Amino acid sequence: MPLSRTASLLAIYPHITSRDRLLLQLLDDHQVLTTGQIHRMLFAARRTCQLRLNELAALGLVERFRFPRDGGGSQPWHWTLGHNGQRFQAAAHERPEPTARSSNQTVQRLSANPHLTHLVLTNDFFVRLTEYARRHAEARLDRWWSEQVTHKQYLTITADGHGLWTVGDITVGFFLETDTGTEALGSRVVAKLKKYGDLIRHGGARYPVLFWLASEQREENLHRLLPGQHTTVPVATATHASDPAARVWLARGSTSRVPLTELPSDHGAPIAENPNYDNGVFLL
């Protein structure tokens, strides 16, 4: 591909496919995805994925970085928007065009973000749902909101993500809390439920809060700390080793695991009838 990273956007347009545009939008929305995650969502063959990502990098549409693994080897390549990718997304959404310096700073700050592992893991939850939907015609991920968009829409909610998941004619909304095993379960994890309860009491969505946990031991410990069964906020748990689309979710007070579509989910009062809803957000 002869075009350089400094080529004008108009010169790059003939090389941008619809799949490329989808990838650029995903990276714009969710900041970073690994090679494996992009492959599972958008490509049939890993080699084809790798070649295409290298071509997009040559055009300056994406950028990549990775770190060594403790004990040897390397982590997977992490992909984010390159300068031309940031320019393209800015044009598509009528945002100010970034300078080369600001684009470079964005990539550097992301790569050095101490919460990068948490972000990649959170994204992987939704990647797994997307991958499942690719293989099952009756399933689809209707909504995948980042932490930033979720907070903007619900104000007091600090979920790591929000989604709407449909299988057949059943749609379930949920808030995701990704656990990496570093936070105290009682003082930090369980304490998060108060804000979800406040949202429900003000007429907001009564979506289950999904705690996606680092280990089975963490899951067992969390259930021992959860409040009693008859509380406002529906809660379910599963571990990173499980497929979130499968029958893996253990609801509070339950002894059997169920799929997402069997968890209680209420979208709340219609916006027009909810006095606490104003211009896309709940006023709590």
Side-chain angles (χ1 to χ4, degrees), residues 59-232:
L59 291 171
L61 290 168
V62 297
E63 189 65 83
R64 70 179 185 176
F65 59 88
R66 68 178 175 183
F67 298 96
R69 293 187 188 274
D70 295 339
S74 298
Q75 294 181 1
W77 285 112
H78 292 55
W79 297 88
T80 189
L81 290 177
H83 178 51
N84 284 338
Q86 292 185 45
R87 292 173 64 206
F88 183 86
Q89 288 301 112
H93 296 282
E94 300 183 355
R95 302 192 300 251
E97 179 168 331
T99 64
R101 179 179 179 182
S102 66
S103 294
N104 187 50
Q105 288 178 337
T106 297
V107 175
Q108 291 181 355
R109 288 168 182 165
L110 174 65
S111 64
N113 187 336
H115 303 293
L116 178 64
T117 298
H118 182 273
L119 174 59
V120 172
L121 184 60
T122 296
N123 287 347
D124 200 61
F125 181 94
F126 292 93
V127 169
R128 294 187 196 189
L129 291 179
T130 302
E131 181 184 17
Y132 181 93
R134 288 188 72 188
R135 295 183 281 106
H136 298 82
E138 76 280 7
R140 65 180 185 273
L141 182 61
D142 294 311
R143 179 184 294 167
W144 171 6
W145 283 356
S146 66
E147 176 184 356
Q148 292 75 19
V149 173
T150 302
H151 179 67
K152 181 179 179 181
Q153 293 297 317
Y154 292 104
L155 285 183
T156 61
I157 297 302
T158 55
D160 295 318
H162 160 62
L164 292 179
W165 175 245
T166 296
V167 178
D169 58 357
I170 300 175
T171 298
V172 172
F174 61 84
F175 295 115
L176 178 66
E177 292 284 352
T178 303
D179 167 66
T180 57
T182 59
E183 291 187 323
L185 288 175
S187 60
R188 294 295 301 276
V189 178
V190 175
K192 296 177 181 181
L193 294 177
K194 182 182 182 302
K195 293 182 178 181
Y196 294 103
D198 291 340
L199 175 68
I200 294 171
R201 283 187 289 274
H202 285 81
R206 188 175 182 269
Y207 293 145
V209 178
L210 306 182
F211 287 101
W212 202 37
L213 298 154
S215 67
E216 292 183 359
Q217 187 62 56
R218 294 273 291 180
E219 185 179 33
E220 292 175 7
N221 293 340
L222 178 59
H223 276 276
R224 283 196 290 267
L225 293 171
L226 286 172
Q229 184 174 0
H230 302 293
T231 57
T232 305

